[in-house]
Amino acid sequence: ADTVVFDLGRPATAAEIAAWDIDIRPDGAGLPDGSGDVWTGEDLYIDNCAVCHGDFGEAIGRWPVLAGGQGSLTNDRPVKTIGSYWPYLSTVYDYVNRAMPFGNAQSLTDDEVYAVTAYLLYLNDLVDDDFVLDRETLSTFEMPNRDAFYMDDRADTEYAIFTGEPCMENCKDTVEITARAAVVDVTPEDEAARIARQAAATG
Amino acid sequence: MTKKTTRRDLLRGGLAIAGAGAFATTAARAQGDPAITELQPWMQQLGEGVDARPYGMPSPHEAHVKRRSVEWLTADPVSSVNFTPLHDLDGIITPNGLCFERHHAGIAEVDPAQHRLMINGLVDYELVFTMEDLARFPRHNKVYFLECAANSGMEWRGAQLNGCQFTHGMIHNVMYTGVMLRDVLATAGVQTAGKWILPEGADASGMTRSIPMDKALDDCMIATHMNGERLRPEQGYPIRLVVPGWEGNMWVKWLRRIEVGDQPWHHREETSKYTDLLADGAARRFTWAMDAKSVITNPSPQAPLTHGAGPTVLTGVAWSGRGSIPRVDVTIDGGKNWHQARMDGPSFDKSMHRFYFDFDWDGKPMLLQSRAHDSTGYVQPTKNQLRQVRGENSIYHNNGIQTWAVDARGEAENVEIG
């Protein structure tokens, strides 16, 4: 309210803003000129992406799965991919452009990012192999899961449940252990610390 | 041992002292404690001078107090996380070298002379600041916790990792020095249509998040210092965004740009990630605040009770992204009976709080839990209460009550109880 305006900093130049302001929005704001098709995207994907994400977006090891999983979001083990989960195609363009390939970010041209994004749609069975992506087709593309997200509603759905004076005495008759981390046994073990603990515990 | 035991009883020698190490045997005690009766090297020899340690490190006896990672959690250590050793700490301030790390493209080693902060978008003046420029804004000091949205996320399906470092250690709590984001934004002149900001990091992940303008103008800071010294490289040196009470992902490190816009950007870290999938297949987005939470740090699986029955200090930390923590309840019998813990030390808004429960352990197995109450009246839920609302696949925002099973030897295990 009582903010003082300080005379600090200097005007950013147009070239500086153009160099750094690369963000894209769902309405297409920020998208550059250019275009790319599925087959160009496949070549780029095989050269730059498949080593981690797999030839079909299925992923190698624990790297992110990019394709498939449609209809799995209510499963015991959902598969959240671009096709099954992501609400906006603009996010694919923005993220590939700003952060991929992992270890060589911002190395793809605008046309190449359009092409890879088109190929990712193809891998997810969302377009045919003759599809061409550009500013117009990207900003009007409707992702299957776009309506499944809603604003944080904890204030309405949880706060009322998780307030009020809780029980302090004689709250239950019995208690039993239902799950144990030692049975799962996936914790990194510090051997020296364990030995020291056990020695101390046994005197 | 009972509460009636006095120091004089112990001196009469009628009781075994568990865990007293080499001094435990009668013969040794007759001779006296060698820690006293024998001359120790440090009593006789000269130590290192003041030039030996220009930047000091902890005692070698504390070498186990360190960040640890869980290799199987992520594909690669560069986009990964490690964990603060909460069980080895006390008070509320996390030492800088032990603050957990979470990077998406590794630690950017930024030269501050080559680092800039740009403000652009819906502002009257699109500006560039050097680090020297930022140091000329009025500075503020605040203690806040930074908790990863995924802290305890591995525990949604049940007890998995055995230690509070691993189940709760994606958090740190430090004093930040920096400038108010509102002062910097005012210099650029936010236009009426400017309702959101997009902070962006300078690392290879180009981290971006959408933050509503109300929050940006309220308590967000651009931090230059943590615990009195410049930020550590792994914490965003030379500058990071501070977003009090909100999930750690939004605290953009190596901050290089803030764009002002009229709507959110829906970038990868607020669509694919940091959205919370519920059982019905829908997902919450923009779950920014971290709810009230607590954990008993001692005893815990990495910090068993080694002294046997008798006077025992139970301690832990609690925090809430919606305010302060006036009260923590603890139970040693799995929730049959609860006791109000003793809150100790400074109590700041959106900061860690330290609690203690000093009690006389009867040497029998225990089931320990802590339950935080925050200043809005919210009471920390059980994991099962959370699962009833959310299912098991929301990954983030698990603030459910933690249980440790302590056996008669004092060893603790991560368990769930029903």
Side-chain angles (χ1 to χ4, degrees):
Chain A
D2 298 323
T3 301
V4 177
V5 177
F6 299 92
D7 183 16
L8 289 165
R10 58 144 179 101
T13 70
E16 289 171 339
I17 294 169
W20 276 8
D21 183 356
I22 59 172
D23 52 74
I24 312 299
R25 280 196 328 207
D27 60 3
L31 280 171
D33 293 333
S35 66
D37 61 73
V38 167
W39 295 121
T40 307
E42 180 183 41
D43 288 342
L44 289 161
Y45 179 91
I46 295 299
D47 289 346
N48 294 284
C49 316
V51 64
C52 293
H53 295 293
D55 284 350
F56 305 101
E58 78 282 10
I60 309 296
R62 291 190 61 84
W63 297 107
V65 181
L66 302 182
Q70 278 88 345
S72 73
L73 297 182
T74 56
N75 290 1
D76 183 45
R77 302 278 179 175
V79 179
K80 293 154 69 182
T81 72
I82 291 169
S84 71
Y85 190 65
W86 291 35
Y88 305 112
L89 186 56
S90 59
T91 313
V92 182
Y93 187 103
D94 176 88
Y95 185 69
V96 170
N97 184 48
R98 76 171 52 245
M100 290 288 123
F102 191 63
N104 193 23
Q106 298 198 42
S107 61
L108 299 176
T109 67
D110 294 343
D111 285 344
E112 288 173 338
V113 177
Y114 275 118
V116 169
T117 304
Y119 186 64
L120 290 169
L121 290 177
Y122 177 74
L123 281 182
N124 279 286
D125 299 323
L126 295 173
V127 297
D128 294 328
D129 62 6
D130 60 352
F131 182 74
V132 178
L133 193 65
D134 58 16
R135 180 188 278 124
E136 175 63 22
T137 50
L138 193 151
S139 57
T140 56
F141 197 91
E142 294 194 345
M143 298 290 277
N145 200 45
R146 67 188 180 282
D147 295 328
F149 294 81
Y150 59 91
M151 188 69 190
D152 182 6
D153 66 347
R154 283 177 289 173
D156 300 322
T157 56
E158 295 185 2
Y159 182 78
I161 306 173
F162 303 150
T163 47
E165 179 60 30
C167 177
M168 293 296 285
E169 290 183 6
N170 302 315
C171 300
K172 45 186 164 182
D173 295 329
T174 60
V175 177
E176 60 177 305
I177 293 175
T178 56
R180 307 183 57 152
V183 174
V184 182
D185 195 23
V186 290
T187 308
E189 185 59 283
D190 182 332
E191 187 68 6
R194 185 182 62 77
I195 290 168
R197 280 207 314 271
Q198 289 185 342
T202 55
Chain B
M1 198 186 296
T2 71
K3 284 179 182 172
K4 303 292 186 191
T5 304
T6 63
R7 179 173 301 276
R8 186 168 299 161
D9 293 328
L10 290 170
L11 290 174
R12 285 180 187 136
L15 293 163
I17 304 170
F23 192 47
T25 66
T26 307
R29 273 194 283 158
Q31 297 299 314
D33 185 349
I36 299 170
T37 60
E38 293 177 8
L39 206 52
Q40 305 296 326
W42 54 85
M43 297 173 176
Q44 194 165 32
Q45 299 160 10
L46 302 179
E48 288 185 325
V50 296
D51 296 329
R53 306 178 191 192
Y55 196 107
M57 294 292 287
S59 162
H61 300 286
E62 301 299 318
H64 57 286
V65 183
K66 61 185 182 183
R67 297 184 280 225
R68 292 179 175 83
S69 64
V70 176
E71 193 179 349
W72 54 263
L73 270 182
T74 53
D76 175 272
V78 167
S79 181
S80 192
V81 67
N82 63 20
F83 301 87
T84 301
L86 294 176
H87 62 292
D88 281 319
L89 303 178
D90 215 316
I92 63 166
I93 296 295
T94 314
N96 288 339
L98 296 175
C99 289
F100 88 98
E101 303 166 68
R102 203 303 185 224
H103 320 303
H104 292 76
I107 301 168
E109 298 284 355
V110 174
D111 175 356
Q114 301 301 320
H115 189 68
R116 306 287 183 266
L117 176 65
M118 179 185 292
I119 311 285
N120 75 309
L122 298 179
V123 291
D124 294 335
Y125 308 100
E126 296 185 304
L127 296 175
V128 170
F129 299 94
T130 63
M131 299 305 98
E132 290 77 12
D133 293 334
L134 290 176
R136 297 170 68 187
F137 284 92
R139 277 173 241 163
H140 299 263
N141 291 280
K142 287 284 190 177
V143 177
Y144 293 123
F145 75 84
L146 186 171
E147 183 183 16
C148 180
N151 199 23
S152 315
M154 298 83 77
E155 304 292 311
W156 272 113
R157 288 172 175 274
Q160 182 159 238
L161 287 162
N162 213 19
C164 70
Q165 178 168 21
F166 302 110
T167 57
H168 290 74
M170 291 187 207
I171 188 168
H172 47 72
N173 198 71
V174 307
M175 175 172 279
Y176 293 98
T177 306
V179 303
M180 300 309 296
L181 178 57
R182 60 172 174 263
D183 287 344
V184 178
L185 288 173
T187 302
V190 174
Q191 296 174 359
T192 308
K195 299 300 184 192
W196 292 80
I197 66 166
L198 183 81
E200 179 177 72
D203 66 317
S205 78
M207 175 64 63
T208 46
R209 285 295 301 262
S210 302
I211 299 176
M213 187 61 73
D214 287 350
K215 181 67 173 178
L217 298 179
D218 178 17
D219 56 1
C220 289
M221 299 169 69
I222 299 173
T224 54
H225 293 68
M226 55 195 290
N227 292 333
E229 63 178 0
R230 292 303 299 260
L231 298 177
R232 294 292 175 89
E234 64 271 31
Q235 302 298 341
Y237 178 86
I239 52 172
R240 90 171 308 161
L241 196 64
V242 168
V243 191
W246 287 18
E247 60 188 14
N249 181 259
M250 308 176 82
W251 299 48
V252 173
K253 299 188 284 190
W254 314 290
L255 180 69
R256 78 166 182 202
R257 191 173 68 94
I258 297 172
E259 183 168 341
V260 176
D262 61 354
Q263 52 186 280
W265 281 258
H266 298 287
H267 277 183
R268 188 248 197 182
E269 305 289 325
E270 55 205 15
T271 54
S272 170
K273 307 298 180 185
Y274 305 98
T275 52
D276 307 2
L277 180 62
L278 305 183
D280 64 359
R284 288 175 177 156
R285 61 159 57 113
F286 299 146
T287 45
W288 298 311
M290 301 305 292
D291 277 315
K293 188 168 174 178
S294 66
V295 65
I296 294 168
T297 57
N298 310 82
S300 64
Q302 297 160 286
L305 293 173
T306 57
H307 53 55
T312 298
V313 174
L314 177 157
T315 187
V317 284
W319 59 92
S320 171
R322 302 185 195 271
S324 59
I325 300 286
R327 171 178 159 191
V328 174
D329 305 325
V330 299
T331 177
I332 63 173
D333 58 13
K336 291 178 181 172
N337 297 286
W338 294 82
H339 317 270
Q340 283 202 32
R342 178 171 60 85
M343 308 305 297
D344 191 82
S347 175
F348 299 119
D349 193 41
K350 304 180 179 69
S351 163
M352 265 191 193
H353 300 250
R354 174 62 60 171
F355 65 85
Y356 296 95
F357 178 59
D358 311 291
F359 72 106
D360 199 66
W361 182 33
D362 62 8
K364 293 176 181 167
M366 297 183 285
L367 291 168
L368 309 181
Q369 294 181 330
S370 61
R371 181 173 66 195
H373 300 238
D374 80 11
S375 50
T376 74
Y378 178 98
V379 181
Q380 184 184 358
T382 64
K383 292 186 195 174
N384 280 334
Q385 283 179 299
L386 286 175
R387 290 178 187 127
Q388 281 169 15
V389 177
R390 305 183 193 172
E392 295 185 346
N393 284 318
S394 56
I395 300 180
Y396 307 107
H397 294 283
N398 181 356
N399 66 318
I401 288 172
Q402 174 66 47
T403 310
W404 306 128
V406 178
D407 67 18
R409 298 167 67 227
E411 292 272 346
E413 184 188 354
N414 175 11
V415 301
E416 294 210 15
I417 58 174

